[in-house]
Amino acid sequence: MAEPLPPTRPRFPGSGLAKGLAVTLRTMTKKTVTEQYPDVQPDLPPRTRGVIGLFEENCTVCMLCARECPDWCIYIDSHKETVPAAAPGGRERSRNVLDRFAIDFSLCMYCGICIEVCPFDALFWSPEFEYAETDIRELTHERDKLREWMWTVPAPPALDPRAEEPKEIAAAHKTAEKLAAAQVTEAAQDELSEPPAKPEPPKSSEAGGGTP
């Protein structure tokens, strides 16, 4: 047998309207926090995922970003060039040259996988977000446009002064100290190996050089 429902509290006519008006009155007394965009630009965090910038000099055309992109919105074209040998008798080598790097932001879902998997720090987040277009085809940014976004990328945060020095910088400092010590040692050895200077003959007090 079904259990009886608990008794409900009686509702007075107009109670719902009164609650709604109470919420409206509380909201009217609070200060508004609406930002008048675009007259007032929003204060975004420095690592906002706005648009992706390309640092072309670091790109090695490894294609890792294009392969890992879940939306397939990165388009890369390249060709190979033969680099002559650096020294006589050496072997020639080939390298990839970037021809095209484009990102279709109409497909991008801003997951950031391409930036995380890039092993050479060629892709960066920019907080810029004002790049809407009236034509969807204009949302495919070629490498020149991606290079322009690179100048809007904020500088990385400063390191903690209590943190350890990065290994790369520590190794560079040690190498510089060794080179400086080697130069000092070499200069000291050169001074010791120089022959002593011969004494100059005494000069005569008179022009003729004769004795009085």
Side-chain angles (χ1 to χ4, degrees):
M1 187 174 179
E3 297 181 359
L5 296 176
T8 58
R9 301 175 64 181
R11 298 185 62 182
F12 298 98
S15 60
L17 178 61
K19 290 181 180 180
L21 291 175
V23 174
T24 303
L25 291 175
R26 286 198 305 267
T27 306
M28 290 176 61
T29 57
K30 292 182 180 179
K31 185 179 179 180
T32 59
V33 293
T34 303
E35 295 181 353
Q36 300 300 325
Y37 176 83
D39 297 332
V40 179
Q41 293 292 325
D43 187 13
L44 300 176
R47 294 298 165 188
T48 299
R49 296 186 177 188
V51 72
I52 298 174
L54 171 66
F55 191 52
E56 187 177 333
E57 286 75 8
N58 286 357
C59 181
T60 61
V61 200
C62 65
M63 305 293 291
L64 190 58
C65 57
R67 291 198 301 266
E68 296 296 331
C69 177
D71 292 331
W72 293 89
C73 63
I74 301 177
Y75 313 110
I76 300 176
D77 294 330
S78 66
H79 70 276
K80 288 186 176 293
E81 282 187 358
T82 302
V83 180
R91 293 194 313 170
E92 296 180 347
R93 58 188 182 90
S94 62
R95 66 183 181 94
N96 293 323
V97 179
L98 183 65
D99 293 330
R100 185 194 183 200
F101 195 109
I103 299 178
D104 187 355
F105 286 100
S106 65
L107 298 177
C108 179
M109 65 178 183
Y110 305 92
C111 62
I113 293 178
C114 57
I115 297 176
E116 294 177 4
V117 301
C118 180
F120 301 104
D121 291 336
L123 297 174
F124 296 88
W125 279 119
S126 167
E128 296 294 328
F129 62 94
E130 297 178 317
Y131 53 94
E133 301 288 348
T134 56
D135 190 348
I136 193 173
R137 292 173 294 184
E138 298 296 329
L139 286 175
T140 300
H141 293 184
E142 299 291 338
R143 66 178 186 176
D144 295 338
K145 185 65 175 179
L146 296 176
R147 180 60 175 263
E148 294 178 8
W149 291 122
M150 190 63 204
W151 307 119
T152 62
V153 174
L159 297 177
D160 189 346
R162 297 170 296 178
E164 296 181 359
E165 189 177 33
K167 296 181 180 179
E168 296 82 358
I169 299 179
H173 287 169
K174 289 182 180 179
T175 304
E177 292 175 358
K178 289 181 181 180
L179 290 175
Q183 291 176 355
V184 172
T185 304
E186 184 178 356
Q189 291 177 354
D190 292 341
E191 292 179 359
L192 294 176
S193 61
E194 290 182 357
K198 296 181 180 180
E200 297 182 359
K203 295 182 180 180
S204 175
S205 59
E206 296 182 1
T211 54

